[in-house]
Amino acid sequence: IVIGALISAAGIQCILVPANLLTGGVTGLAILLRYLTGIEIGIWVLLLNIPIFLAGYRFVSRRFTIYSLLGVLALAGFLYLFTYFPFMIGDPLLSALLGGVLNGLGLGIIFRSKASSGGTDIIAIIVKRLWGFNIGHTSLMVNLLVVGLLALVIDIHVAMYSAIAIFVTSRVIDQVESGLGVTETTLIISPHYEEIAHAVLHSLHRGCTYLPAQGAYSGQSEMLILVTVSKIQLPRLKEMVFAIDESAFMIITDSIEVYGRGFKARAAEY
């Protein structure tokens, strides 16, 4: 949590703020209020988070609220510390990209620790828990409102560059939060399904499942093979399948989370 707060604060205070750009959510509002009042961002972050933390305690969990409090305090402290280390890039687009990546990386690390940096992060996690929407996507929608305020109060060009930073942050958050363990789920249709299944079980050492099906056009009964593998194993799976049946039909999709033997154990939610 502390490492994530450190990286996020570096992206915000060292890169985005010197370029007069915003992040989203409460931190973005804090930056905007700092431009208007001169009061430091860290103080605004603490003040604005009070009512949101009450909602987090009510709708998420006590553990999550305590961990998020650590995230907020660490973020506020590092934001104050990094006021003495501005890093002027000179190009607003590069500032938006680099600042967005660092901010998203830091926030993603915090989310993977089952905490948050407060603000709209808590709102996004409540939405994910209740309706299943990605944290990054929910944060992006809320943060666009902050950009709209910036466009009205300061400058439309600054708002557009800030929107780029917010978009990059949301994408990096989702990538970091889902981790490198994104797997591939494959449906394979082939008359040689038994031979393919044998290769998956004994060469790839992965389980697979037969799914009975029927072709809509031909009316013929088919047997689908359902198998989930890691990204590293996917090229080997394709090589094996097409070596057995070069006309096999494969459907490959990303699986964000897979729980069970050979994959992730059930983890505690927020």
Side-chain angles (χ1 to χ4, degrees):
I1 296 173
V2 175
I3 292 174
L6 173 68
I7 297 172
S8 178
I12 295 169
Q13 193 68 275
C14 296
I15 298 174
L16 294 177
V17 171
N20 294 321
L21 302 180
L22 290 188
T23 61
V26 166
T27 305
L29 286 175
I31 296 173
L32 185 60
L33 289 169
R34 181 249 188 189
Y35 291 151
L36 297 176
T37 66
I39 299 175
E40 284 302 324
I41 299 170
I43 296 175
W44 282 117
V45 167
L46 292 175
L47 292 176
L48 293 172
N49 268 292
I50 292 174
I52 297 176
F53 263 93
L54 295 176
Y57 186 84
R58 170 66 177 83
F59 292 104
V60 186
S61 69
R62 179 181 179 183
R63 173 192 174 279
F64 169 75
T65 304
I66 294 173
Y67 277 34
S68 296
L69 180 61
L70 173 60
V72 169
L73 294 174
L75 180 63
F78 286 129
L79 284 171
Y80 179 79
L81 177 65
F82 284 133
T83 56
Y84 302 102
F85 302 98
F87 184 70
M88 292 296 298
I89 294 178
D91 186 328
L93 179 58
L94 290 178
S95 297
L97 293 175
L98 181 57
V101 168
L102 289 177
N103 188 30
L105 176 60
L107 293 178
I109 292 172
I110 293 174
F111 288 138
R112 282 184 66 86
S113 303
K114 304 304 180 186
S116 80
S117 63
T120 53
D121 299 340
I122 294 179
I123 297 173
I125 288 179
I126 292 174
V127 170
K128 179 180 179 180
R129 183 170 183 176
L130 296 178
W131 296 290
F133 292 105
N134 286 343
I135 292 174
H137 291 168
T138 304
S139 296
L140 177 62
M141 297 303 296
V142 175
N143 294 339
L144 289 177
L145 297 175
V146 178
V147 173
L149 290 175
L150 177 63
L152 293 174
V153 174
I154 299 182
D155 181 79
I156 184 64
H157 295 93
V158 174
M160 295 305 294
Y161 284 120
S162 297
I164 293 173
I166 290 171
F167 175 78
V168 171
T169 295
S170 70
R171 299 303 299 167
V172 174
I173 287 173
D174 284 340
Q175 290 298 316
V176 175
E177 197 218 356
S178 62
L180 300 176
V182 175
T183 54
E184 305 292 337
T185 296
T186 306
L187 282 174
I188 306 168
I189 304 175
S190 170
H192 305 283
Y193 62 89
E194 290 181 328
E195 190 177 351
I196 293 173
H198 184 274
V200 170
L201 292 169
H202 297 94
S203 297
L204 207 58
H205 303 291
R206 282 295 186 186
C208 58
T209 302
Y210 289 145
L211 301 176
Q214 185 177 33
Y217 178 76
S218 66
Q220 295 180 349
S221 296
E222 307 278 358
M223 194 65 73
L224 279 64
I225 302 172
L226 175 67
V227 57
T228 299
V229 297
S230 66
K231 280 186 175 291
I232 296 175
Q233 292 178 312
L234 181 61
R236 174 61 178 154
L237 174 64
K238 292 191 288 186
E239 179 184 355
M240 285 173 16
V241 169
F242 291 122
I244 296 170
D245 181 5
E246 61 182 15
S247 61
F249 189 83
M250 296 183 67
I251 302 172
I252 302 170
T253 59
D254 288 339
S255 299
I256 301 302
E257 291 183 300
V258 178
Y259 293 96
R261 184 176 179 181
F263 297 97
K264 293 195 298 185
R266 184 181 181 275
E269 290 297 329
Y270 294 99

